[in-house]
Amino acid sequence: MPPALLAAGALAAGSIVWGAWLLLRPASVEPDVAATSGGLAAGQPNEPTPARAAAVQARGSGTWDHDAPTKAELASAAAACAGCDIVLVTVCSLRRDHTGAYRDETLTPALDKLTKGAFRMDQAWSASNFTLASLTATLTGRFGSSTGVTGWDKGLVADIPTMPEVLGYYGYRTGAFTTDAPSGFRPDYGLDRGFQRMEIIRPPRDNPDGRTQGGDPGPGGAAAKPAAAWIADQPKDAPIFAMFHTRTAHYPFVIDDDPTDPTGVTHLLYASDKLNTGKAQAMPGAAGGTQQRGVVAFYTQDPVQAGVREAGEPGVAMWRQRYAEGVQRLDRDFAVLAEALEARGRLDKTILIVMADHGESIDDHRELLHGDAYYDGVVHIPMLVRVPGMKGRPIPSLVSQVDVLPTILQLVGAVPPAGIDGASMVPLFAGESETVRTTAIIEGGVVWHDDGVARGAVISPPYALLRQDTGCDGGDLRKPGQPATCLYDLVADPNQTRNLASQKPDIVADLQGRWDKFRVARGQDAKQLDLDPAYIEELQKNGYDFRPEAMP
């Protein structure tokens, strides 16, 4: 059903009114835009809707409280998990092959135990290659084109409802928790909306962001403690929605220096926020390989990336080792959460979703981090969904981060907002369907562009179409001044080394056409934010700069 009709039909069946800006869709309407016969695009083309409101400005660590709705609606008692608690954990930069559920059984024992019996989504894809856009898609059930949030400079407009807003109107107590960093999960971008409590803490000593504070890092898991404390404080007679975004495995991976490392990479990582050659300062975006127009100008190679390359294969091996150790340290966050959930005594009534916002390259395709390209290691993510009363298993069907919102709402008997792009995964869990979508898109990135050409990827198994400035492994195909066009067969070429774009132009045209039509039908301009100058400075220090006047 076209998006315009989804919104129109909602008024007839809507059971609650949130305000003039919110329309609800009847529960009987299928929510998947991507699974329609036309692929991604559905509905009548229209011009992008202009933004109407800026996100609230705030920065740094702190606590933000918002009133709960004064009147709650009753969720459907017939839902699969009516009245269940919901815990959503998004892990920054977590690769699939570094988790026990997908491959490595030595790094994440606490996560593996907590998610035992979960559905393992084997074809789950991120909505972007950087955090802000991915989390916005997760919380709204909309791809980047539908919110306009595809870069660091755009925020969520006021008339797009979020998952915690919906759940709040069904009596849920909602809380969000993370550490202070340029991740995008913060009030600056409107992602506090609907959370009755948002707590952003100063990065603790056991976290890479807090590595230079001094003192004993302790047993680990400090980033998860505010979420655990909030969960423990909530009365058991009201359901909760807790979201925890952890950066414990994020760059620079380490919490201590190691002068015995012969490659010198550990020291580069530990000192990465202080390295300065006089011409260029180390920045995560640059260290990962992001040296394109739109990122802070560089006059020489980033010193961290240069050091890794100079160390050769041993340097890359150490880079990967330190990342793996970061994932191992991340597992303590799950141990802390598990203790809190067990103490609450409602694990048998708790829906648990654990997924990455995006992965990490760790030198796949010569990209050390993320934010440049859209290869498998960054955008093919781990996603585990544990549902009380349902026996989990591997699910091979294509799903996206935008599908999380309608899945959660269907499980607890809530009505999804109108016009979302997501499709509920519940039919997959129940064995009622083998497919909920045929296509997923991945949009946006850390680099500012002014050429009007979207960067991203279109996933339609077995093919993945990538439009990226970094070029393509296995041959390049691009027009002057345009991003490269890369087409890979993910079954025959899972490592994405053979670019088929020149051999299969019909498939390239089909996938690009779906994406183009979707952007025309669903496109919206997000609000250009007037961000706090101190936060802009923090973004710049990390290598991200979206302002045209900052271009060389």
Side-chain angles (χ1 to χ4, degrees), residues 412-450:
V412 301
V415 179
I420 62 173
D421 302 323
S424 173
M425 296 181 281
V426 174
L428 301 177
F429 302 160
E432 299 170 353
S433 175
E434 294 183 355
T435 305
V436 296
R437 66 170 54 253
T438 61
T439 311
I441 56 177
I442 301 155
E443 298 180 295
V446 303
V447 179
W448 186 90
H449 297 287
D450 62 355

Side-chain angles (χ1 to χ4, degrees), residues 173-241:
R173 296 172 182 263
T174 59
F177 307 89
T178 191
T179 52
D180 185 17
S183 69
F185 190 39
R186 52 199 302 142
D188 308 59
Y189 293 99
L191 293 188
D192 62 325
R193 290 222 326 268
F195 285 113
Q196 295 151 27
R197 161 65 60 93
M198 172 170 263
E199 187 170 349
I200 302 177
I201 64 170
R202 182 183 178 189
R205 173 66 179 84
D206 64 354
N207 191 283
D209 293 321
R211 65 193 178 281
T212 60
Q213 290 183 16
D216 187 345
K225 289 182 178 179
W230 183 83
I231 289 170
D233 286 344
Q234 303 310 302
K236 297 181 181 180
D237 60 355
I240 64 170
F241 170 49

Side-chain angles (χ1 to χ4, degrees), residues 98 107 253-254 258 266 314-328 362:
H98 281 57
L107 296 180
F253 314 142
V254 302
D258 180 6
T266 304
V316 171
M318 182 58 66
W319 181 275
R320 290 172 172 165
Q321 177 183 327
R322 295 311 188 203
Y323 171 75
E325 291 168 354
V327 173
Q328 197 167 23
I362 55 174

Side-chain angles (χ1 to χ4, degrees), residues 59-385:
R59 71 170 302 276
S61 56
T63 300
W64 291 263
D65 289 319
H66 301 283
D67 292 336
T70 57
K71 182 181 179 182
E73 293 294 319
L74 294 177
S76 171
C81 208
C84 281
D85 290 345
I86 305 161
V87 176
L88 171 62
V89 183
T90 54
V91 184
C92 205
S93 306
L94 179 63
R95 288 175 62 104
R96 299 165 74 249
D97 58 10
H98 281 57
T99 64
Y102 287 89
R103 183 172 179 179
D104 193 326
E105 298 182 359
T106 65
L107 296 180
T108 57
L111 169 61
D112 302 341
K113 181 179 179 181
L114 186 60
T115 56
K116 185 178 181 180
F119 293 97
R120 189 189 74 195
M121 313 311 294
D122 287 346
Q123 285 294 323
W125 295 81
S126 172
S128 187
N129 66 0
F130 82 116
T131 302
L132 170 61
S134 294
L135 295 188
T136 301
T138 299
L139 289 173
T140 63
R142 296 167 180 249
F143 290 115
S145 290
S146 296
T147 64
V149 180
T150 56
W152 280 113
D153 57 333
K154 299 296 179 67
L156 192 62
V157 298
D159 62 348
I160 296 178
T162 66
M163 190 189 317
E165 285 180 307
V166 176
L167 291 169
Y169 277 92
Y170 285 90
Y172 273 77
R173 296 172 182 263
T174 59
F177 307 89
T178 191
T179 52
D180 185 17
S183 69
F185 190 39
R186 52 199 302 142
D188 308 59
Y189 293 99
L191 293 188
D192 62 325
R193 290 222 326 268
F195 285 113
Q196 295 151 27
R197 161 65 60 93
M198 172 170 263
E199 187 170 349
I200 302 177
I201 64 170
R202 182 183 178 189
R205 173 66 179 84
D206 64 354
N207 191 283
D209 293 321
R211 65 193 178 281
T212 60
Q213 290 183 16
D216 187 345
K225 289 182 178 179
W230 183 83
I231 289 170
D233 286 344
Q234 303 310 302
K236 297 181 181 180
D237 60 355
I240 64 170
F241 170 49
M243 180 173 173
F244 170 46
H245 179 65
T246 172
R247 287 171 51 92
T248 303
H250 192 274
Y251 177 88
F253 314 142
V254 302
I255 62 172
D256 290 302
D257 201 350
D258 180 6
T260 67
D261 171 13
T263 70
V265 168
T266 304
H267 177 69
L268 290 173
L269 290 169
Y270 181 78
S272 59
D273 62 336
K274 295 181 174 61
L275 293 177
N276 195 320
T277 66
K279 293 184 178 180
Q281 179 177 337
M283 302 175 182
T290 306
Q291 298 193 49
Q292 303 174 38
R293 185 172 184 269
V295 179
V296 175
F298 299 100
Y299 303 97
T300 186
Q301 191 176 39
D302 171 81
V304 176
Q305 179 170 244
V308 175
R309 297 305 179 201
E310 184 178 344
E313 284 301 317
V316 171
M318 182 58 66
W319 181 275
R320 290 172 172 165
Q321 177 183 327
R322 295 311 188 203
Y323 171 75
E325 291 168 354
V327 173
Q328 197 167 23
R329 192 177 306 110
L330 158 75
D331 199 54
R332 278 294 304 159
D333 288 348
F334 288 101
V336 170
L337 275 182
E339 293 171 5
L341 292 172
E342 289 169 2
R344 181 167 167 79
R346 281 174 54 88
L347 263 176
D348 61 341
K349 289 285 288 182
T350 298
I351 299 166
L352 176 67
I353 305 98
V354 178
M355 68 177 184
D357 57 353
H358 54 74
E360 197 70 285
S361 281
I362 55 174
D363 205 43
D364 289 351
H365 308 276
R366 299 289 290 176
E367 183 183 31
L368 289 175
L369 292 173
H370 63 273
D372 257 2
Y374 303 89
Y375 287 114
D376 186 278
V378 170
V379 295
H380 190 183
I381 59 170
M383 181 187 291
L384 301 166
V385 185

